[in-house]
Amino acid sequence: MKLTSGHLTFCTNIYAGENWMAHFAVLKASFPILKEQLSPNAPMGIGLRLSNLASIELLEDNHLAVFKQWLQDEGGYVFTMNGFPYGGFHHTRVKDQVHAPDWTTEDRVAYTLRLANILSQLLPDDMDGGISTSPLSYKPWFTDAAARENATNEATANIVKVAEGLHAIQEQTGKLIHLDIEPEPDGFLESGPEFIDWYENVLLPAGNDKSLIKNHICLCYDVCHFAIGYEPHIAIINELQEKGIKIGKIQISAALKAKLPASISERSAVLDQLGRFDEPTYLHQVIARKNNGALLRYPDLAEALAAAEDLSVEEWRAHFHVPIFVEDMGLIQSTQSDIVEVLNLQKNSPFTTHLEVETYTWEVLPTALKAPLNDSIIRELAWVKTLLEQ
């Protein structure tokens, strides 16, 4: 949907189909319903997620031509893609493998350039396109500092290679496509300061043309991920703008948040509620804040629950993309207020044109938060649209 402050869509990583025909079948069944409710009289955007397999299949036979015709017939358009998860993302144990293959590999380079080729053929002529991707790699895989530094340099060289490929696509097609790197807890880049430091002191020196890098390598601002780290949104966004580092996309998402009472019985009740979100598919990193302001980090919810006896901890934030239209869930909350803060800044002084709701955990939510998928997508997009237009 084209709004005053940008193009609003949802990410199709909510759908379970991992091959192209399965993914397309779900889109054909769902998208017309969504558009009729949300944008009946104007085109509606799609944030397309393709697995590596689906991206290969889409370029075979006449699948891409068929998809383009379907988009035209249904009033849809693709302007952003999610290139973070490479392989299976539903009905399988994902956890840390969401980062594999990482940016040290040629597989990640080939996959990303394939997505860019597809996007260049789908992107409307008057828009730029973006592909969100992983924050280089996953820190726990590299416990040795020298190995992590080497991996960072290898990943950075591959990012530069992709930037050059995106520049070539722009010269050939006139389509500007940017790679939007998405920091998240325990990634090589997990915070605003880490991303800015890497961008200025590693990425820019690695390229021969700094303007080419700045044109094609951006930040994906996932609100959930930045909220988990208690990061100051306005300060980070202002610093990025001051340094000329572009934000390619806002991923509109909410994390779990819980205040941990000092009372043992009240605390146990909160922890019991949090334990219901400990499921085996996705990583649910936790950052806990102590009453002296110090932060404790846990690689997953299970490890945080095992250490929950620390009474100096006053709040948890967990990487679980809960519905964005719900803030109060009883004894626990969401970081919805962080979304409101970021979107109010975007509304008053736009810093990107790409707005994508990314709640992908519908299948693994506790039963009380589940609803029919189309109804949930409609409710989320309508909530964002109201916030941006009020």
Side-chain angles (χ1 to χ4, degrees), residues 222-295:
D222 188 301
V223 184
C224 167
H225 298 171
F226 282 85
I228 294 167
Y230 304 85
E231 296 197 55
H233 301 294
I234 294 175
I236 291 169
I237 292 166
N238 286 342
E239 184 175 359
L240 288 163
Q241 291 180 308
E242 289 168 2
K243 294 178 177 295
I245 302 172
K246 297 176 184 176
I247 296 174
K249 171 166 66 177
I250 303 173
Q251 279 186 327
I252 304 167
S253 55
L256 272 178
K257 178 172 72 174
K259 300 288 187 181
L260 298 184
S263 160
I264 298 296
S265 61
E266 293 178 358
R267 192 182 189 90
S268 295
V270 172
L271 292 169
D272 178 67
Q273 291 291 308
L274 286 166
R276 300 179 187 184
F277 291 85
D278 183 19
E279 58 79 38
T281 302
Y282 304 110
L283 272 179
H284 302 300
Q285 306 94 315
V286 174
I287 299 182
R289 185 171 63 189
K290 302 180 73 170
N291 50 27
N292 64 359
L295 299 180

Side-chain angles (χ1 to χ4, degrees), residues 11-18 23 26 49 51 82 85 87-95 98 279 281-282 358-364 373:
C11 182
T12 66
N13 65 355
I14 57 175
Y15 298 138
E18 297 299 330
H23 197 72
V26 181
R49 185 260 159 166
S51 69
N82 187 332
F89 198 57
H90 294 273
H91 307 160
T92 186
R93 183 179 175 86
V94 180
K95 293 296 184 180
V98 73
E279 58 79 38
T281 302
Y282 304 110
E358 197 211 15
T359 305
Y360 57 79
T361 55
W362 299 107
E363 290 188 354
V364 298
L373 187 54

Side-chain angles (χ1 to χ4, degrees), residues 192-208:
E194 281 192 357
F195 175 83
I196 291 169
D197 177 68
W198 167 78
Y199 199 103
E200 291 197 312
N201 298 313
V202 183
L203 176 63
L204 287 177
N208 293 321

Side-chain angles (χ1 to χ4, degrees), residues 99-253:
H99 293 277
D102 67 12
W103 271 102
T104 65
T105 67
E106 287 298 323
D107 286 343
R108 176 62 67 172
V109 173
Y111 167 58
T112 305
L113 288 174
R114 190 181 311 117
L115 294 181
N117 179 33
I118 292 168
L119 183 55
S120 72
Q121 298 180 65
L122 298 175
L123 187 64
D125 289 336
D126 59 346
M127 291 190 66
D128 62 297
I131 302 168
S132 50
T133 192
S134 78
L136 307 189
S137 191
Y138 183 59
K139 282 180 179 175
W141 291 345
F142 298 87
T143 55
D144 178 74
R148 186 179 296 173
E149 182 179 359
N150 288 337
T152 298
N153 291 334
E154 290 175 10
T156 302
N158 282 333
I159 294 285
V160 171
K161 188 183 301 183
V162 168
E164 292 168 347
L166 297 178
H167 178 68
I169 288 174
Q170 185 178 13
E171 296 224 306
Q172 293 162 9
T173 69
K175 304 288 182 68
L176 170 60
I177 296 174
H178 39 84
L179 185 65
D180 305 331
I181 295 174
E182 182 181 338
E184 75 160 50
D186 290 335
F188 269 27
L189 309 172
E190 60 179 310
S191 67
E194 281 192 357
F195 175 83
I196 291 169
D197 177 68
W198 167 78
Y199 199 103
E200 291 197 312
N201 298 313
V202 183
L203 176 63
L204 287 177
N208 293 321
D209 185 339
K210 289 181 172 54
S211 63
L212 184 151
I213 297 294
K214 288 202 168 187
N215 204 33
H216 293 287
I217 307 299
C218 304
L219 172 72
C220 172
Y221 200 100
D222 188 301
V223 184
C224 167
H225 298 171
F226 282 85
I228 294 167
Y230 304 85
E231 296 197 55
H233 301 294
I234 294 175
I236 291 169
I237 292 166
N238 286 342
E239 184 175 359
L240 288 163
Q241 291 180 308
E242 289 168 2
K243 294 178 177 295
I245 302 172
K246 297 176 184 176
I247 296 174
K249 171 166 66 177
I250 303 173
Q251 279 186 327
I252 304 167
S253 55

